[in-house]
Amino acid sequence: MKKLFTLTFMMIMGCVMTFAQSVEFVDKDGKTITNGSTFIANGHIEDMGWAIEMSSGVYVKNNSGSKADVELILDVKSCTEGTNLSCCAGGQCSPLWEGENIKTFSIEGNVTDDPQIHWTYEDPELEASAEVVLTLKQDGKVASTVTLKFSNKIDSGIDSLIADKALCNIYDITGKLVKANVSKNAVNAMTKGLYIVRELTGAKNVNKVIVK
């Protein structure tokens, strides 16, 4: 009887391991994004001339040693008029419309893949936003769900995220360094535009700042 119980237990555990989800959402540093949480987009920002593009900073990681076939459901809840969402998961780029949009693709074992979820907006001085619920499925089962939010709501000053005495580097929208080792308030004396202020020490926080 004991042997039968042990064999049954091992078979059950084997099934659990077989159907365990190996994929998850991670941030740009490879840290797990908690299932059911809200994630504020913090990816690369690029001025394309006709619009500004912001990437999500959300990645999909396959923790197993073998290829995983996944389904990414992007449920667009809101998107400010005049702004656009897109996704290039699987190598095929397509716009995201209000409601559910589905992408299927494969990820090699022990690989982190960028689904390339992008949001574009034309005028950085006009407040705009977008919200998308991301659901990651493997073998038809939900592995993780995350609410992704985009926003260009940026103050002309710098909030308390960066310490007052901290030294910072200031970059323009293209990522070019324009000022190094300066106070965060140095940006207020710069010409009109969108800047990225990165703290050099401590938590190394980042602020996106509009100078009007």
Side-chain angles (χ1 to χ4, degrees):
M1 179 64 72
K2 184 176 180 181
K3 290 183 178 180
L4 180 60
F5 174 80
T6 302
L7 180 60
T8 303
F9 177 76
M10 290 179 66
M11 291 177 64
I12 293 174
M13 289 303 295
C15 290
V16 171
M17 292 178 66
T18 300
F19 292 107
Q21 305 299 314
S22 63
V23 295
E24 63 177 346
F25 290 119
V26 298
D27 64 17
K28 58 188 176 183
D29 297 317
K31 296 180 180 178
T32 299
I33 301 175
T34 305
N35 182 33
S37 65
T38 296
F39 185 87
I40 307 300
N42 61 5
H44 180 68
I45 299 176
E46 181 179 356
D47 187 346
M48 300 186 295
W50 60 273
I52 295 172
E53 181 180 79
M54 179 187 296
S55 60
S56 68
V58 173
Y59 297 81
V60 178
K61 183 179 181 181
N62 179 9
N63 294 304
S64 74
S66 57
K67 181 187 290 185
D69 296 323
V70 299
E71 181 179 75
L72 176 61
I73 302 173
L74 306 101
D75 187 1
V76 178
K77 298 298 185 182
S78 65
C79 188
T80 301
E81 184 177 356
T83 70
N84 299 281
L85 287 160
S86 63
C87 178
C88 298
Q92 184 175 2
C93 295
S94 57
L96 301 179
W97 309 110
E98 185 176 353
E100 290 191 355
N101 303 261
I102 300 175
K103 289 278 190 174
T104 56
F105 54 100
S106 299
I107 307 177
E108 296 296 331
N110 300 312
V111 166
T112 298
D113 184 60
D114 182 1
Q116 299 185 57
I117 304 169
H118 296 149
W119 178 60
T120 59
Y121 56 96
E122 295 183 9
D123 191 344
E125 294 188 24
L126 296 178
E127 184 179 338
S129 63
E131 180 177 324
V132 188
V133 175
L134 307 177
T135 300
L136 186 63
K137 286 187 174 183
Q138 182 182 10
D139 298 325
K141 296 180 171 61
V142 175
S144 184
T145 299
V146 171
T147 298
L148 170 65
K149 291 187 176 182
F150 290 91
S151 176
N152 72 341
K153 184 179 181 181
I154 309 165
D155 295 329
S156 58
I158 303 178
D159 61 27
S160 58
L161 182 67
I162 295 178
D164 289 335
K165 296 182 180 180
L167 290 177
C168 306
N169 281 348
I170 302 176
Y171 304 84
D172 65 16
I173 192 63
T174 68
K176 178 182 177 181
L177 179 66
V178 291
K179 285 187 179 293
N181 298 310
V182 295
S183 162
K184 68 179 185 179
N185 294 318
V187 72
N188 293 325
M190 298 174 67
T191 57
K192 178 180 177 180
L194 177 63
Y195 298 92
I196 299 171
V197 181
R198 182 182 297 274
E199 190 175 5
L200 294 178
T201 58
K204 296 187 178 180
N205 291 309
V206 176
N207 268 87
K208 300 180 184 71
V209 182
I210 290 177
V211 177
K212 298 180 179 179

